[in-house]
Structure formats: structure tokens, C-alpha cells
Amino acid sequence: ARTDLVLGMVLEPPHLDPTAGAAAAIDEVVYTNVFEGLTKIGPTGEVLPGLAESWEISQDGKTYTFKLHTGVKFHDGTEFNADDVKFSLERAIAPDTVNAQKALFAKIDTIEVVDPATVKITLKQPQGGFLYNLGWGDAVIVGSESVATNKEKPVGTGPFRFQNWARGSSITLVKNPDYWGEPVSLDKAEFRIIPDAAAAIPALLSGDVQAFPSAPVAEALDQIKADARLKVVIGSTEGETILSMNNKKAPFDNKLVRQAISYALNREEINAGAINGLGTPIGSHFAPHNPAYVDLIGTYPHDLEKAKALLAEAGLANGFSATIKLPPPPYARQGGEVIAAELAQIGINLEIIPLEWAQWLEQVFTGKDFDLTVISHVEPNDIDIYSRPDYYIGYQNPAFNKVIQELDATADEAKRKDLYGQAQKILADDAPVGFLFQLPKVGVWDAKLEGLWENTPIPANDLTKVKWTE
Amino acid sequence: MSALPAETVPPSQSFLRLALGNRSFVIGAVITLIIAGMALLSYVWTPYSATELSVLNKMKGVSAEHWFGTDHFGRDILSMIMVGARASIAVAILAVGIGIVIGVPLGCYAAATGGWVDEVLMRVNDLVFAFPALLSAIMITAIFGPGATNAIIAIGIFNIPVFARVARAGALSIWPREFILAARASGKGKVLITIEHILPNIVSLLLVQGTIQFALGILAEAGLSYLGLGTQPPMPSWGRMLFDAQTRMMAAPHLAIFPGLAIVVTVLGLNLLGDGARDILDPRLRRVR
Amino acid sequence: MTAYILNRVLIGLATLLLASIVVFGVMEVLPGDPAQLMLGMSGSPEALANLRAQMGLDEPIVWRYLHWIGGLLTGDFGRSYTYSSPVADLIRERLAVSLPLALMSLLLSTFIALPVGIFAAARRGRLPDTLSMGTAQLGVAVPNFWFALLLIYAFAVWLKWLPAGGFPGWNGGIWNGIKSLILPSIALALPQAAILARVTRSALLDVLGEDYIRTARAKGLPRGRVLRRHALRNAMIPVLTILGLQFAFLLAGTIIIENVFYLPGLGRLIFQAITQRDLIVVEGVVMLLVASVIVVNIMVDLAYAVVDPRLREAA
Amino acid sequence: MSLLEIEKLTLSIGNFPILRGIDLQLEKGEVMGVVGESGSGKSMTALTLMQLLPHGAQTGGRITFDGKDILHATEAEMLALRGDDIGMVFQEPMTALNPVKTIGEQVAEGIRWHTKASRADAESRAAAMLDRVGLPQSKFPLTRYPHQLSGGQRQRVVIAIACALKPKLLVADEPTTALDVVLQKQILDLLRDLVDERDMGLLLISHDLAVVAEMADHITIMRHGEVIESGETSAVLTAKAHPYTAQLAEASAHVPSNRRSIPPSALPGISPSRGDIGPSSNVQRPLGAQSHQEHIKQTSPVRTAAVQSPFSLHEGEMPGRAEGGVTLPPLLTVQSVTRDYAGRRTGLFSREKPFRAVDDVSFTVHPGQSVALVGRSGCGKSTLARMILALDRPSSGSITFDGHRLETSKDRDLRDARRNMQVVFQDPYGSFNPRHRVERLVAEPLHLLQTKPSREERRALVSKALDDVGLKPADMNKYPHEFSGGQRQRLSIARAVITRPKLIVADEPVSALDVSIRAQVLDLFAELNERLGVAYLFITHDLTVARAITDEVMVMHDGRIVERGETHAILDHPQSDAAKALVAAAPDLDRALAARAARINAAC
Ligand SMILES: Nc1ncnc2c1ncn2[C@@H]1O[C@H](COP(=O)(O)OP(=O)(O)OP(=O)(O)O)[C@@H](O)[C@H]1O
Ligand SMILES: Nc1ncnc2c1ncn2[C@@H]1O[C@H](COP(=O)(O)OP(=O)(O)OP(=O)(O)O)[C@@H](O)[C@H]1O
Ligand SMILES: [Mg+2]
Ligand SMILES: [Mg+2]
């Protein structure tokens, strides 16, 4: 069977150090392939052991003792041990850290090296998702010798080592013969950067690229499905796609107006127009594949009369004008266009303003200068963003904040699930934003290829189990 | 030639009569008028609304109800082409206009002045030129925001050095001619000479360049729209339609074919018009063949 | 001649200096914070501040400009914000694609355009002329990404002769590199060829009316030979001018084609750098482009002199 | 059998007949002169011989060359003939050579093509041929480009190309029109030598009877695409059997109405009321109507003054023309004017030393005076004229016109001076913007008036000016290309007189015109001088012109004025070498005929 693979990806990572950058593309290349953390997230979002063979949690939920694998070597030949864990995590929580997910580690109090194969982490207070957090790409273990050059030449402990990066073109990984764990079956994997949607289709059809785990080909799916050599796998992502409203700004500070908008949205049509109907409708900010998911889609059914009535109640019977700022992805641009047409039906005239990412981040996300926007929030389990004090949406509800606080301090699964459910319901009712759909993951790959993830619990292309069947 | 008795030459004719006698001008004018008429008609009537979505009706092929089919939002392509003509033509014409209004005087000035002024102007020209059109457009829209106006400005700026070059080269070839000396002997200054003698003689050069730039302008608008910087939705433009069609080209070729044809026909019509106008404007070519 | 070249080079340097100021200024007013962009939606304010400091973005503008210019003089283009690798390396990598691509399309467009232009001029006013010039007009009017996609479907998806896109690098063998540039260079060359063919034809027609063409024919030389030996060289000046302009365009104006073929060229580098606010890369590439336009202009002028002995002395 | 026989040759382009049945015969070793007015079809006849006609030309009749039927020859057969058996010297030496190829290449090309000789072989033959036409290798290597040669030298290269393969027939189309008289003589001598040496047939096309009389054994006179008369040269030219031949002869020797003042309306040819000023009517104009002259002599005060005018110009302080005994100040004073052109750069810091085109020139022109500036091509005449017209500034010296200092004034302050000073250019076609109508073109100097005339006034002024030069007011709606060469020259003059200037500088105003039109234009100049009292500075290398209409001549050589004085005095008894050379080289019909007669007599 073949042992090489070319994968397509839309965005090129800016660099290859997952502990020093937010870009998902970094993790999509190196996570679990090159770098490993203490724990590891599995294909369905479960927490699996990584470099830590096992762990113990103290009664009060504050102390975690990790037993590390032994005989693990970094790609540069240096030994992996507890010192590297301490180094990596302390680097992540340092005041001058450039780790993009500093919040993941906010609860860590101390990191102690018990012996070379044992690490003890003490938290300031119990944290329910701590093991999950350690499974993020931002929490992988790096070697102190190689940390300075990881951006260009990543050195980790994983089953693949970095070979070459032709910037703008492709990144090549090769099998690590000295891997401590189960050996992988691929000898070589090339991540090819194909930013243009129109180019992705022929790349797949011609066989130049054998797998496109997140293919921008929603519109051409029929054509690809017609090709027997290719397999199309529609999975889900952690991307809750929402119509964000500026809750601090009139008239969106009025719940009636937000509800009116929610009634006016025809999710089916938006889903069809934005991503060819591949998304899963959502009624709150929660991924449907998550065990704690509560179906709230029915909260605001498509009902123009009700929408108009609510607007009238809010004193805006004649509608109003506003802007909708759209970032570059097609789901946002096309979805925004459909939304604008729909809201026009209840008298809300939207001026469409497409923005580049840089501008969107500056104006909308940081500057909070917007009325409406369409955006997918791709971090896993991120319902807590609605409780953040200075978040761009500007939504504040003490009841909701309380639920989130409790969640944070709860490790018990059943209780957490219940709390998640409460949070979802509050949000659905308050309608701080219009909930649209869960962003699908359109995976296309060679029918003879197996082992690729169907869903995207976290950004990653885990190649450890990937192999050609013939 | 010199000995031809004056009577054998047809007397100077009115512009209209000359125009009607020029085949390429007439064909070009008819095409251009049809396109322009279509754009104007779209203000009062289109077969369907060009902006109303009907997503469930999307990407339908050519049919009796929708002559050109429907797009990915289920809009009627014929209606979109009619409405899109406005934006595409307006952007292209205005951008060419900016190029001419600024570039031609610059080029003429450089040619008339010569020396270091010429040198400096031409180097600045190179500088603008070094920056590919699409990039300067991206920068401009990045600073001032996207939209048709900024697209016009961005494409227009790119046109400036083009026309400056053409005008300068043309003017440089006219300046040494004897009739310029005659005009100087009549006490006319550089400005007047440029207006009265240089410009009429470089008109044909500019016309030809203008039609080329027009075609490029429509395509540049398309390119900008592709990057989300051109005409803003929901207003359609031919360029946006083409780019929207890109990913669906194999699934629904009509999405690309009709706007593509609209561009090709318009450009062809304008080129014919330009070629014809050039012949008509040159009195030496007016004699019947 | 040497003095002339020296003079041009000096003026070129002055232009570069001007360009550096303009570019730097434009970059300053470009909205969007590169550090923010790198952190995306998840970055904390401290992380942002740290990153800004690390990138040197908190220094005063004049200092940064001087620092940058000083670096340029020593060949140091700075470090890319996004790639965090030296800009000079990035440019070098991209040039390895863009330069061959530009040259290939230039050659291709010349090889298509000159014969077509000559052919049309030789049969002026007749059917072949009308047909080839009509095709040329179409060539200008057809959007090139459109044409590019057709090429990909025909030669990569259907015939499977050539790759659909991508660039394997020159280490993987010269032929592999060239193979991946064939379709893009065709897509780039065709509209260029259309313009060039029109220019060639009209320049030739101008020349064919000249008296010395009649002199040459009076020597008993056949038409074709007269066209090639006498007319062509005289018609070269407008053709060379257009070629010079095309080269400047081909070097970095090919974003869309680079996108369609996902080639790591200069055009995409600068496009990406602008959208990601990788200012230092934008500045570096622009300087390179301005420099190349200046060099190409000088070369075109020298080529004029080679073609036309009268200009040899004027220069 | 004759070398060349042309029978009933007809030619039309489009539906426009150009040649209407030409008959012509030429023997080996014979020179046949073809003369006729401009546009009579001379060049077309030559091109028909070569089968190099423009698009859309249709021929009829028969041409036999050396037994071959040329009109029905295939292109391949013609390729074999062209350049090998028939050589052609084209009308315009300046443009007949390819600017981007060396002269060696261009001469050797035909040799290589026809004889399949090696490059080296062909080049040595080319070198020999160039040497033969007076371009020796030592001074003019094969690697020269055309632009590095003067007009006369280029003309010789064209002759070398045409004669390179020792053709049996050489067609020379106006081989000397653009050259000054001294060069003209050299070229004609060369052609004659080639004929004698190789027993070549020469078809010499010219509109200059004197040239033809000197060169040709037989002559064919053409007009309107027809042969008017032909035969042995001296016989035809002395008998002047056909009235047109007589007219041509007269026109070519025409010394116009120097002091004869004939209002244009009195001349049938340029009568505004008749409207048609085609060349066909011009040549029928009776020249030199004595009775008129006598009449006007008594009524024209200006004329009287002119006759009295004493010319003693030597110190540049000649008393002005006296009118009623008053001495007028000079109109134009040129004082020690020098003009240097910067030399070419040869290195970073070195330049060639500057080229002095005009060298310490001083003279004056008085109101109403007509002065000729003669000299060989390139001696600095046009440069001087440009400075006088304030289109160029002298390197040193001063120019005063009508009380205005020209060399120091700003363009803006020159308006007054310019109003009184106008120019007539050498190339009338080139001096008009082809895109403007006559009304606008002729009105151009009105820009100089202080008060802008209204549209009606302007039209009135233009129609007056057109009337002055014998054109119809209705012509103001035409474009310049709709006129004949002579008419265009008149337009050019109309433009010059519209502001009623005191001085007209005319730079080679007639060198591009054929004899009959030239006669007509010269008359017009003389007449305007009489009627309007305009002073002239005539720049020319043609002594006949100088003799015809000027009171005084200045001879220029290498940037300096080497001789000046009353026209007849200088032309009859030149003192300086430069003047002598000019006078000696000037062709003269009577002299040529006399010489020919003498030769024939001697041969008998
Ligand atoms: N290409 C052409 N198409 C139409 N008519 C032409 C063309 N070339 C020349 N003619 C006409 O043919 C006639 C004869 O021209 P030709 O050149 O033979 O005159 P010519 O006797 O040589 O005059 P000149 O002394 O001015 O050279 C003129 O009336 C001219 O206008
Ligand atoms: N711009 C210039 N730069 C350098 N040399 C020049 C320039 N213009 C003219 N000359 C030279 O100056 C000399 C005089 O030129 P000018 O045009 O005055 O001659 P001319 O007497 O009018 O000759 P022609 O009878 O041929 O018109 C020539 O040798 C010419 O080569
Ligand atoms: Mg002729
Ligand atoms: Mg001159």
C-alpha cells in the first residue's frame, strides 16, 4: 500500500509553534503529529492519555499527579522528562507569555517535578475541564533546547518529524523512526496549501491531493460525489456560526429587537445559501455533537408576523437601518447576504460591509464598532464567552454568569451537563445573537484512505491512525 | 496627391454622416447602445428582481422562465446581468476617466516640459506602475473601505501611469513637427499648443488605449469583487457574478458563461466603437476608400 | 553610454528612496493591527501587548523607518511578522517561482504574439487578419482565471498530463518544476499575447508603409524576407515597451493566477502580507518591485539602443 | 529591339485613373528624361516597371523589358528582375534606407540574394560599389548606419544599392530633389559615368528641365498621366512645339515679376472669382504681362521706392528704404549672433566640443526689403532663422526686431514682435495640423492680436487672407489634405500674412514644389511684397529662387556669412569660394541646351 499522502489545507500556518500562536492552521499540521501534550483529545472530543501515561486527581480536585512515559525522545535527540513539562507549562503561564490561550492555564498554581517521570500540578481552585485543557495544542510539551526555533523548525516528541516547509506552498512531515509509541503507517505526509476554493476541486479530482479534511467545496459537492474514487464525509466542527449583534448598541440592546431578528431568520434558507445546506441548525451556542447539547432550535421558529409584531412593540414598526460587517469566509459573506435579504422583509435594511480579517478583528472584535456580523466561534466548549466582561457581543446577564462560574468549579460530569443545559437555555431565550448553524466539516478524501477524523473537536489533522487500505 | 484638383476630394462632411458611413463605428455603436439601453432599462424593469433571493430555486439551468438560468441564491441571471451592467460599466468608464483626466495632462506636461520635470514625473509613474493594480486596489480599499467608489478610484489610479505614458510618448512625437513651430511662432504657449495641437493628434492613441483599459477595468472590478472589495452586495456586477461562478463552474457553467459573454460583447462593441471613432476623427482617413 | 546608464541608476536609487518613504507611510495608515491579527479572537490583552513589544511595533515610527532603511542598506529586509523568518529568505523563495513563471509567460506570449501579429500584418484587411485580431480582442476580454480553470480541467483533471497546481520546488527536478509552471504560464501569457499581437501588427503596418520597405523589395527580395529582415526590427520599439510593462506586471501582478494554481509566488506573498498586515514583508516586496521596474526600464532602453542605432547615440 | 518598351500603359488606383496610355522607349546606353509636373504619374510609371504598385492598382497595356512582358510576369519572375536587371533609385533619399541596418548590409543584401555569393564576397563587392559612388571605405566603412550620413551620401548609398548588380536598366526617380546644387551635380555626374561605363539604360525622372536637359538624350514630357511630347532632348526643348512644353520651359527659367506688380485678380490662374486653382489652370497663365507691368509701375509708390533703393550693406548699417526722402531705421538687426549646439556626451565627464552652427553673424533687413540667405545644406540657415523668429535663443549676440530685443525677452513679451514677423515653412503639409480646418489654421496667428476678434471678424480676416493668396473664402472649411502642394504653400503664406506682418521669414518655401507651382508661388511672394510692403528673409539653396525675387543675397557657409550684396552682382560675379561653387553647380536650362547643341555639333 501507499505510504505517502498529500493533504490539502486552505490556510497556511504563520509558523509551526502551537504554543506561540492562535492560528488553527498550526495545530492542523503539528498537533499530535509533531507535538504531543500530557493528554490528547480524541476524534470525538474525549480526553486520552498522551505523554502522560496515567494521572491521579486529589480529593479536593486541586492536585493532579501525572505519570510520564519513559524513553521518550525529542526529534533532536534530547531526552523528554518531567523538567520539560515544568518548562513548557511555566512558559505558558509566565507574565510575558505569547501563548494565545493563556486562560487555559489560569488556574495553575505550581508545577513540581517529583522525579523525572512524575509531575505534580497544583491548581488554585478545582477546574472541571483541566485535563481537557491540557489536551489543547497550546499545551503541548516543548523542549527547552529547541523552543527558540520551533516556529520554523518544530521539534516535538510525536510520530512525525518536520522535514521541510516551502512557504506558501507546502509543509512536509516524515515518519519518526524513534517514536516511543505505536508506529504510524505513513512514511511521508505533505500538507499542501490551496487557498482558492475553485482550485481545490480540480486538485482533488486530478488526484494531486488525496485528502482535503476541511475542503472549501460545499458548492461542488455533487460533482465530487459523482467521482467514485473520492469519499465525502460531512462531519461537524466546534464552530457555532452566529449572527452577532452589538448588545450594547441601540436598538440591539433591546431584547424585543433581538427576538424579532431571531424570528425573521430562516435558518434553513441561510444554511442553504451559506454552505449548501450542510450545516446543522442550532438554537443556542452549543455544538450538537456534544453530550451536554440541548435542542433549542424551536425557540425562535421562522415567523415574520411575530417578528414584525415584536419590532412594533419595540417602537420600530417601520423598521430601521443598520450595517452588517462580514469577514472573508464564504459562510459569512454568503450567509450575510441571505440574512440581509431576510431582514429586509421585516423592514430592517442592512448595508453589507465586507471586511478583511485584519479589519474585522480591529473594528468588530476589538473595537466593538458594529451592528451585526456573521461569525463562527470555533473554540471548543466556548459558551463561556457570553460571560466575559468585555466581550465584543456586549451581552451581560448575571444569571448566566453565575451558571458559568459554577461550571468552572465543577468537576462532576453529570452536574456539568446540567449546568451546560441551563446556560444554553438562558442564552437561547435572551437571543443575544441569532443562532444559525454549526459549521460543517466537509471532508473529502480518497476512498482507499482511512483513519482521518470525521469531526473537528479541536483543530487537528491527526495522522497517527491514517493508512492506505491498498 | 498634391496635384489632385481640389474638386475630386469630397467636401468635408458632417460628423454624423461620416459616422454612419463607418461600418465598425456603426456596429460598435449599436452594441454599446444595446448594452447601455439594457442598463437603463434595468432601472425601471427587469424580468425578476435582481436582488431578491429564492435560495430553494438555486442554480437552475436555462429555461423558459429564466432565460439565462438562476444563480446560487436563485436570482434570475438575466435580471442580474441587466442590473450588473450599471456597476460594471460605471466602474470601468469612470476608472478610465480618472486615468485620462489625470494621466493625459501629466503625460502632456512631462512631454512639453522635458528635462528633470519629465524625469521625475516618469519615475513617479514607474513607482505607481511597479505596484500591481490589484495590490494598490487592495491597499486603497483597506484604508478607505470597500465599495464601488473606492474600486473606481483604485482602478483609476492604476490607469493614470498608463495614460500618462501613452500621452507622453504621443506628445513627444508631435512636438518636433513643424506645425508646432508654426504655433509657437504665433505666440502660443505650451498649454495652448498642447490643447490645440498635441491633443487632437494623440486622440486616436488614447482611444485605442482607452478601449483596452476599459476591458481591463471591467476585469479588474471583477478581481476586486472577488476579494470582496468591489461592488457591494446585494447590487450585482458582472465581475462579482463571474467570481461567484468560479467554484461552481463545472456544476453550473451558465453561471459563468452569461456574465462572461456580457463582458466580451461589451468590450468588443467598445473596441469597434473606438476603432471607428479613431478613423472618423482623422480627417486624412475620411476619404472614401 | 556608460554615463547614461550611471545616470539612470542614480535616478533609480532616488526613486527607490522616494518609494521607501511612500510605502512606509502607506503602511502606517493601513488599518488593522498585525499583532492582533496573529492572535485572532482568542488572544488576551497581555498576550497582545507582549507580542507587540516582541515585534517592535511600539517603537516610534521614525525610528522604525530608519531602522528598516538601515537594514535594507545592509541587505537585511527584516523579519516577517507572520512567518517570523527573514523577509529576504521569503522573497528569495518566492522569486524562485515568480521569476521563471514571468519569464516563461513572457517567452510564450512573445512566441505566440509575434507570429500572429506578423501574419495579420502581412495579410492586412483580409480574412486571416480579421480573424486573428478578433481572437486577440477576445483574448483581452476573457477573464484569465476563467481560462485558467478551463486549462486545469482539460489538462490536469481530464487528460492528467500536468499537475492541477502547486509547485514542487526546484529540488524535485527541473522538469517537475517546469511542468507545474506550464499551465499557469499559458493562462498568463494568453491575454498578454493578445495585446502584444495587436501592438506588433499595428507597429508593423506603420513600418510597412515606409519607403525603405519599397527599397528592399526593389532589390528583388521576396515579401516574407522583407518583412522579417527589414520591417520587424523597426517595429520592435513599441513591442519592447509593451514587453517591459508586461514583465513588471508578471512579476507580482498575478495574484489571481497564483491563487488558482496555488503557486507560492510573489503576488500571493504580497497579497497575503497585506491582508495579514505583515507590513515589513509588504515593504520589502514593494521595494523589490520598484527596483525591478527600474531595472526593466533601463534594460528596455538599452534594448531600444540595440535595435535602433540612432538611439545608441542619443543615449 | 529596345531595352524597354512601354506601350499604351494605363494604370488606375481604385476607380481613379492615374496613367492614361503612356508610350515610351529606351535603348541601351541611353538616358531618357521624364519630366512633368508633380502628380503627373512619373513615379507611378517607374513603380509599374518594378511591379511595386500600391494596393488596388490596376494596369493595362504592355511593358516589355529585354524581351520579357513585365505586366504579366509572375512575382517569382519579378523577384529575379528586381535589383538584378532593373535597379531603382527612389525619390526620397532620407527615408529610402532602413535606419537600423548598416549601409554595408543594405548594399550587400541584394548581391547575396541574387548571386548567392558568400557574405564576405558580397561585402567586398558592396565596398567596391560604395567606393564607386564616392563613399570610400576609409572614410565611410560598411558599418555606418544611414543616420550617420548626410542626405547626399545617403542618396549615393541608394544609387549603390540600385547599381550593385550592374543592372541593364536604372530607374532614377528624382534622385536629386532634396539635395543642394553642389551635391546634385556630383550625383548627376556619377549617374552619367555609370551609364557610359556599363551601357546601362537610364530612366531619369525629374521635374527639373535643366537637369534633364543636361543629362538626357531623349525626353518624355508627361502631364495628367499622359505623354504630351517626346523626342530628342534639345530638339524638343528648343522647338517647344507643344504649348505645355513651352510653359514648362518658361516656368523653369521663370524669373518672376521681380519688380512687376500684378494684382492676383488680374491673373486668370489665381483669380479668386474662378475658384479653381488646380495646377492645370496655373500653367496656362500667361507669364509676364508687360502692359500690366507698365501700368502698375506708375501707380505704385512702393515700387518706385524700391527701384531707388541703394544697396550698400557692408557694414550692416544700410539706410532704410526711403519713402519721401525719410530714412527708416532697420526692421531687423542681427548683431554678432552665434549658436552652439552642445556636443554629444562621450563619457561620464567629457563631451564632444560644442558644434558652432551659426558663427558671428551680423546683418540688417529694412522694411520692405527682400533678402535671400543662400548656402549649402547644413550651413546653418534654419538655425539662424529660428533665432530670428525667437523660437531658439542665440548663444551670444543680439537680435533686434522692430524695436524689440528678441534674445532676452520672455515668451510673453514677444507677442508684439511676433505679430509683425511671420514664418513660411519649408514643408507646407507638415506645417499644418492635419486635424484642423483651414479657417483655424490660417487664423492661428490672430492669437497675437491684443483684442481677440469675434468669430465673424475672424472669418472675415481669414477670407481676406485667403483672397490675398488667391484662394477662395470657401476653402476655409477644408482640411489641409484636401489641397494640392501649391495650394498648401499658399495657405502657409496666407497664415503668414493674416496679421499683416512687417517681416516674413521663409525657410525653403519652394524647394518641395514643382516648377510650375514654384513659379506661381514666387509670383505671389513678389506681389505681396509690392502690395503690402512686406520684407522677406528667404532661405534657400536654390539660386534661381534667390535671383527671382530678392534684392540682396547673403551667402552662408559653415555658419558664417561669407559674402553679401545685390542679388545680380553676387550671382553673376561671385567672389567667395562658397558662392562660386553654388553658382557653378546651379543647373541652367539654356546653358545645358547650348552645351548639348555644342556636343552634337562636335560629334557631327
Ligand atoms: N497610393 C496611391 N493611391 C491613390 N493615388 C495615388 C497613390 N499614389 C499616388 N497616387 C496618385 O497618382 C498620381 C501620380 O502620382 P506620382 O507619384 O506618379 O506623381 P509624380 O509625377 O511622381 O509626382 P512628383 O513629382 O510629385 O513625385 C497622383 O495624382 C497621386 O495623387
Ligand atoms: N539640435 C541640434 N543639435 C546639434 N546640431 C544641430 C542641431 N540642429 C542642427 N544642427 C546642426 O547645425 C547645422 C546647421 O543646421 P541647419 O538646420 O541650420 O542647416 P540648414 O542650413 O538649414 O540646412 P538645410 O538646407 O539642409 O535645411 C547642421 O550641421 C546640423 O547638423
Ligand atoms: Mg514622384
Ligand atoms: Mg534648413
Side-chain angles (χ1 to χ4, degrees), chain D residues 315-338:
Chain D
E315 296 316 312
E317 46 182 68
M318 182 199 89
R321 285 194 167 192
E323 206 168 307
V326 185
T327 302
L328 297 172
L331 182 62
L332 172 73
T333 307
V334 174
Q335 195 84 53
S336 315
V337 162
T338 296

Side-chain angles (χ1 to χ4, degrees), chain A residues 12-15 22-23 95-102 151-152 165-169 192-196 198-199 201-203 205-206 208-209 223 229 356-362 365-366 375-377 379 391-392, chain C residues 31-33 36-44 46-47 50-51 54 79 82-86 90 93-94 149 152-153 156-157 160 162-168 256 259-264 268 272 274-277:
Chain A
E12 180 174 29
H15 58 81
D96 64 344
T97 181
V98 288
N99 196 302
Q101 301 292 345
K102 211 182 157 192
K151 283 185 173 178
E152 285 172 67
W165 182 7
R167 280 183 185 70
S169 179
R192 195 169 287 175
I193 294 120
I194 303 181
D196 194 88
I201 304 160
L205 291 177
S206 68
D208 282 7
V209 167
Q223 194 188 348
R229 293 167 305 147
E356 292 174 78
W357 267 123
Q359 290 168 318
W360 188 89
L361 284 171
E362 183 173 272
F365 192 72
T366 318
I375 183 71
S376 214
H377 286 258
E379 268 89 40
Y391 208 56
Y392 78 105
Chain C
D33 177 359
Q36 167 79 63
L37 197 72
M38 289 175 73
L39 287 179
M41 291 168 67
S42 49
S44 64
E46 306 92 71
N50 287 339
L51 194 61
Q54 206 182 62
R79 241 165 211 283
T82 38
Y83 281 132
S84 60
S85 59
L90 285 177
E93 285 166 14
R94 298 305 175 105
L149 280 173
I152 295 177
Y153 277 99
V157 175
K160 297 210 190 315
L162 295 164
F167 180 71
I256 289 175
N259 250 340
V260 174
F261 289 98
Y262 44 103
L263 291 173
R268 238 176 79 205
Q272 192 183 334
I274 292 175
T275 52
Q276 299 186 345
R277 299 298 183 269

Side-chain angles (χ1 to χ4, degrees), chain C residues 1 6 39 55 81 91 105 111 134 146 154 173 176 182 198 200-202 242 251 273 278 286:
Chain C
M1 201 71 186
L6 204 83
L39 287 179
M55 287 162 65
Y81 296 158
I91 292 180
S105 4
F111 277 120
W146 218 59
N176 277 337
I182 290 178
R198 282 187 71 171
T200 308
R201 173 180 172 273
S202 67
I242 296 288
L251 208 52
D278 196 346
V286 169

Side-chain angles (χ1 to χ4, degrees), chain D residues 503-519:
Chain D
L503 173 70
I504 291 180
V505 177
D507 191 353
E508 309 270 18
V510 291
S511 72
L513 306 179
D514 73 63
V515 277
S516 42
I517 296 177
R518 189 177 75 177

Side-chain angles (χ1 to χ4, degrees), chain C residues 231-251:
Chain C
L232 205 53
R233 211 155 133 204
N234 281 290
M236 269 339 270
I237 291 216
V239 175
L240 279 174
T241 311
I242 296 288
L243 275 179
L245 294 184
Q246 290 190 344
F247 185 77
F249 164 78
L250 285 172
L251 208 52

Side-chain angles (χ1 to χ4, degrees), chain B residues 1-4 287, chain D residues 13-14 16-19 36-45 47 54-55 91 173-174 205-207 222 512 514:
Chain B
M1 171 84 71
S2 61
L4 275 182
R287 287 177 51 189
Chain D
I13 299 181
F16 194 75
I18 306 239
L19 299 179
E37 70 191 31
S38 180
S40 57
K42 306 183 293 291
S43 300
M44 283 298 148
T45 309
L47 290 177
H55 268 289
Q91 195 164 355
D173 190 358
E174 312 265 16
I205 298 173
S206 176
H207 58 238
M222 284 178 67
D514 73 63

Side-chain angles (χ1 to χ4, degrees), chain D residues 598-604:
Chain D
R599 238 184 296 154
I600 290 169
N601 288 342
C604 294

